[in-house]
Amino acid sequence: MLIFIVSQFTFAGYDVHITKKEHWTDENDICINKADWKKYLEIDSSIQVDHDNSEGSYLVYINNDEYAMWIDYKGCDLMTKNPNTEFLNKLIEISKALDAKVQGDDGEVYITPDQLIYP
């Protein structure tokens, strides 16, 4: 007998990445490294280390709202889940400063929250 338990609190979500790669899943490509990220953090006080979570976890504060973001040094990019329009704008701003792009799980690139380029 097989039993499935479904929780109303569990959902997969949709990841969005800040990446320098052609596609965020590419291996052995250009990375957002620790030095690039540290330099950016020095000029953007809206991003703070999330001390309550794992290494590489950050909180982004925008208009009294808090958004989670992670850096994956092994995968060479920043990521978050299910960003709203306000947070997408911030991700695009960050990507420009890092000479990178905002790319969704399916490879689409966000020019603005409403303007996407599909592969």
Side-chain angles (χ1 to χ4, degrees):
M1 183 161 130
L2 189 58
I3 299 174
F4 290 100
I5 299 173
V6 178
S7 169
Q8 66 181 355
F9 303 107
T10 304
F11 63 94
Y14 191 77
D15 293 344
V16 175
H17 310 263
I18 297 177
T19 185
K20 291 185 175 187
K21 301 175 189 175
E22 181 68 28
H23 191 278
W24 69 270
T25 58
D26 292 344
E27 294 182 19
N28 301 321
D29 214 336
I30 242 169
C31 291
I32 297 172
N33 61 40
K34 288 182 182 184
D36 294 337
W37 183 233
K38 184 178 178 182
K39 186 176 178 181
Y40 181 78
L41 291 174
E42 290 173 0
I43 63 166
D44 190 338
S45 62
S46 71
I47 303 173
Q48 301 295 317
V49 174
D50 182 356
H51 295 287
D52 293 331
N53 282 302
S54 61
E55 181 182 356
S57 296
Y58 295 87
L59 295 171
V60 181
Y61 296 94
I62 306 168
N63 298 328
N64 298 321
D65 291 321
E66 180 181 280
Y67 304 94
M69 183 170 62
W70 306 266
I71 187 160
D72 177 7
Y73 293 115
K74 187 175 180 180
C76 299
D77 60 3
L78 294 151
M79 62 182 289
T80 190
K81 287 195 176 293
N82 305 318
N84 63 15
T85 301
E86 186 174 50
F87 192 26
L88 270 171
N89 276 321
K90 181 65 176 180
L91 296 173
I92 293 166
E93 174 188 315
I94 295 167
S95 73
K96 289 178 181 176
L98 294 172
D99 196 27
K101 63 186 170 196
V102 176
Q103 188 174 60
D105 268 349
D106 295 331
E108 74 282 9
V109 175
Y110 289 83
I111 305 305
T112 69
D114 299 320
Q115 182 184 6
L116 289 82
I117 298 173
Y118 290 91

